[in-house]
Amino acid sequence: MVNDKKEFLTSVAIDLFARKGFTVTTIRDIANAAKVNVALIYYYFKDKEDILFHIIERSTKNLTVILKEIQFAETDPFECLKKMIIRQVLYSSQSWKETKVINIDADHLHGRHKSDCKRLQREVYDIYMSQLQRMKDTGLLGDIDPVVVNFTIFGMISWFYRWYTEGKSLTEENVAKEMVKVLEHGILKRD
């Protein structure tokens, strides 16, 4: 029951942060939209920044679990990387509001929240980095710095929500597969 209320308040905050922006949205806005007393929000969260961190933490942990499951199940290094990218694009698309909030508003975190957020983001970075290192170790990665490849992957996926429009000619899965093609034809060794 407690988690249900906290998650309900979180979903209301996600909607408002995605629509209005973190800086403009107030605790009172969240309370009004949730049709609850402001005190209830302060029961679950210290402040608005705490809500933002909860959103980022929850989403990033979910993504980390997904990526690790793929890594565990797929033995081929490049197939694994492709599946990770496709799954992350689909995850970002399914939770586009969270993706937007994370990409735009994470810089509003301070102190412990900021350092914890960076640690969470580093976990995702490290998962991809280990996969790229596997590719390099098996001779699949061309003469390119894995760090640059990693940031390229993050750039493609992170901004997907900004330009993608559902219902047009490209599905989320088509876009993800095309992203993989961009990487494949740009980073793999050629004979």
Side-chain angles (χ1 to χ4, degrees):
M1 183 79 165
V2 170
N3 281 340
D4 291 344
K5 285 183 183 177
K6 185 174 183 175
E7 290 311 309
F8 170 69
L9 294 173
T10 301
S11 69
V12 170
I14 289 167
D15 287 340
L16 289 171
F17 292 167
R19 189 166 29 94
K20 294 174 64 174
F22 173 78
T23 55
V24 175
T25 302
T26 65
I27 293 287
R28 183 160 304 286
D29 292 335
I30 297 167
N32 289 341
K35 296 180 175 53
V36 299
N37 189 302
V38 170
L40 182 67
I41 295 173
Y42 286 112
Y43 176 78
Y44 293 105
F45 300 101
K46 186 175 83 173
D47 54 23
K48 188 170 72 165
E49 185 179 316
D50 198 35
I51 298 170
L52 176 61
F53 178 73
H54 177 69
I55 293 165
I56 293 169
E57 180 181 43
R58 185 184 71 173
S59 183
T60 306
K61 283 183 175 182
N62 289 341
L63 177 61
T64 301
V65 167
I66 290 166
L67 295 176
K68 284 181 178 180
E69 285 174 355
I70 294 168
Q71 264 191 325
F72 182 76
E74 180 59 61
T75 58
D76 179 271
F78 188 57
E79 284 303 311
C80 183
L81 181 66
K82 290 192 308 189
K83 288 178 181 178
M84 288 167 55
I85 292 169
I86 290 167
R87 186 61 186 99
Q88 186 172 349
V89 168
L90 294 175
Y91 178 77
S92 295
S93 176
Q94 293 159 355
S95 56
W96 70 268
K97 289 178 185 176
E98 289 95 326
T99 301
K100 180 179 181 182
V101 169
I102 291 167
N103 285 318
I104 292 177
D105 295 319
D107 289 341
H108 294 290
L109 296 176
H110 300 90
R112 176 86 179 182
H113 283 148
K114 184 175 187 165
S115 60
D116 286 348
C117 179
K118 286 186 182 212
R119 179 186 48 76
L120 290 166
Q121 291 171 337
R122 183 64 190 215
E123 286 179 37
V124 176
Y125 173 88
D126 287 345
I127 291 169
Y128 276 99
M129 204 61 207
S130 69
Q131 200 55 45
L132 291 166
Q133 189 60 50
R134 281 180 63 203
M135 289 179 62
K136 187 172 186 170
D137 293 346
T138 56
L140 291 172
L141 191 63
D143 185 26
I144 187 165
D145 190 320
V147 172
V148 175
V149 177
N150 205 354
F151 285 124
T152 300
I153 291 168
F154 279 117
M156 287 191 308
I157 295 171
S158 294
W159 291 99
F160 165 75
Y161 81 91
R162 299 270 291 194
W163 59 264
Y164 180 75
T165 305
E166 192 174 10
K168 299 282 183 169
S169 61
L170 288 172
T171 66
E172 295 96 333
E173 192 164 350
N174 292 135
V175 171
K177 287 177 180 178
E178 293 300 316
M179 287 179 180
V180 168
K181 283 183 190 176
V182 168
L183 285 174
E184 183 175 9
H185 296 293
I187 67 170
L188 295 182
K189 272 189 180 176
R190 307 225 185 284
D191 291 3

